[in-house]
Amino acid sequence: MGVKEAFLSRMLWTVFLLGLWLNISNAQEIIYGKNKYIEYQVGNMSLILTAPHGGSLTPSSIPTRDTGCWDKATGNCYYTHSCPSGSVKDSVNCKVTTVKDLYTQEMALAVAKEICRLTAGYCPHIVINNLSRSKLDPNRDKDEAAFGVPDADQAWDEFMGFIRSAKSHMSQGLLIDIHGQSHPEQWIELGYLISKANLDSGKFSASDTSIYALSKRRPETSFEELLRGRQSLGMFIEEQNVNYVCVPSPSNPGPNGGAYFSGGYITSTHGSKISGEVDAIQIELPKWIRESVERPKFAAVLAKAILNFYQFSFEKM
């Protein structure tokens, strides 16, 4: 049996062990939310890809998200278009980010397609926000994400609901939240809810992270190995192409003071830090990797890396 055939055999056996068999014909089913603002492509394996910041729709019915309202007396931000009494718009204390993560939808779809190909028809669930980030940011709590606008509130509910629906098909699983960043380091940032300062200092434990369940499933493997060692997602990416530098990974255990995103609302809410058996990792990609020339190459690498990490995470003990 060749390497590819052996890998596929292990993958299918893993799916069987987890009781995650679904009808392959359902893999391409697409469910939309209201006005097709949110899109859910139903998968048939215990893997979810999310793309919250790559949308382009700008309906006039949803006002553009602006700065939040700062209440100096209480030290609170209120994310609404009309400030409550005693608060004022404040772009410093209540800053809102509306920049689109270019080509992250395209990357998520390319990675999913490659995973389907590598596994002969086993495809991840995909949840996509088609609204511009200026209208909705699903990687924030509901208030900051939607500013209390009914259509945006509903879209946020649908995005989270589709993730929960995908999770309901699995007893254990993995969520990869795909983003883009423009940091000068030009590296790939893998977020597990550990701050850059704590990554550099080593002041963290498995229970602090969005892959806490994985650490409990693999007690024979040190958490350092799972996070930034030989069994980490960073290692599985870098071993295929040294140009795809990751942090954390064996080559870069931490950002060493550099720019780094540790993970946001989706990773925190839908990962295993608080509860459950679905782990989550936020992946932040530099623009050069997301652009059309490099995207197919990296999508193939990331698909294989995710499957390697997935297979290690759930293989028979």
Side-chain angles (χ1 to χ4, degrees), residues 2 8 23 73 103 127 135 159 199 203 213 218 246 254 275 285 298 310:
L8 292 177
N23 190 333
Y103 312 126
V127 181
K135 303 294 183 177
F159 190 94
L199 262 183
K203 294 180 180 178
R218 310 297 301 187
C246 296
S275 64
L285 302 173
F298 180 73
Y310 175 100

Side-chain angles (χ1 to χ4, degrees), residues 205-283:
S205 66
S207 61
D208 299 324
T209 75
S210 54
I211 57 168
Y212 184 35
L214 171 60
S215 72
K216 292 183 286 185
R217 284 194 302 273
R218 310 297 301 187
E220 79 291 353
T221 304
S222 73
F223 188 66
E224 281 285 323
E225 282 292 291
L226 299 174
L227 179 74
R228 52 192 177 185
R230 300 293 302 177
Q231 303 299 336
S232 67
L233 181 59
M235 176 63 189
F236 290 133
I237 293 172
E238 289 188 344
E239 69 181 356
Q240 297 179 68
N241 189 325
V242 295
N243 293 319
Y244 298 145
V245 178
C246 296
V247 57
S249 69
S251 65
N252 289 279
N256 193 27
Y260 172 75
F261 286 131
S262 61
Y265 183 87
I266 293 169
T267 307
S268 177
T269 303
H270 294 288
S272 60
K273 178 179 178 177
I274 299 172
S275 64
E277 292 294 325
V278 176
D279 298 298
I281 303 171
Q282 178 173 296
I283 181 166

Side-chain angles (χ1 to χ4, degrees), residues 9-18 310-311 314-315:
S9 176
R10 291 196 303 271
M11 281 293 301
L12 297 180
W13 177 243
T14 298
V15 173
F16 174 76
L17 288 172
L18 291 173
Y310 175 100
Q311 191 251 328
F314 304 120
E315 67 184 0

Side-chain angles (χ1 to χ4, degrees), residues 146-211:
F147 271 62
V149 177
D151 280 355
D153 278 346
Q154 181 171 341
W156 187 92
D157 287 339
E158 289 167 350
F159 190 94
M160 299 305 160
F162 285 146
I163 294 177
R164 289 193 297 272
S165 179
K167 291 170 72 174
S168 73
H169 291 294
M170 55 193 76
S171 57
Q172 301 170 338
L174 175 65
L175 183 152
I176 302 292
D177 188 31
I178 299 176
H179 293 262
Q181 45 83 8
S182 57
H183 293 153
E185 291 82 359
Q186 297 287 301
W187 52 26
I188 298 163
E189 300 164 19
L190 303 174
Y192 302 87
L193 305 180
I194 305 170
S195 71
K196 65 178 184 179
N198 287 345
L199 262 183
D200 284 340
S201 68
K203 294 180 180 178
F204 58 81
S205 66
S207 61
D208 299 324
T209 75
S210 54
I211 57 168

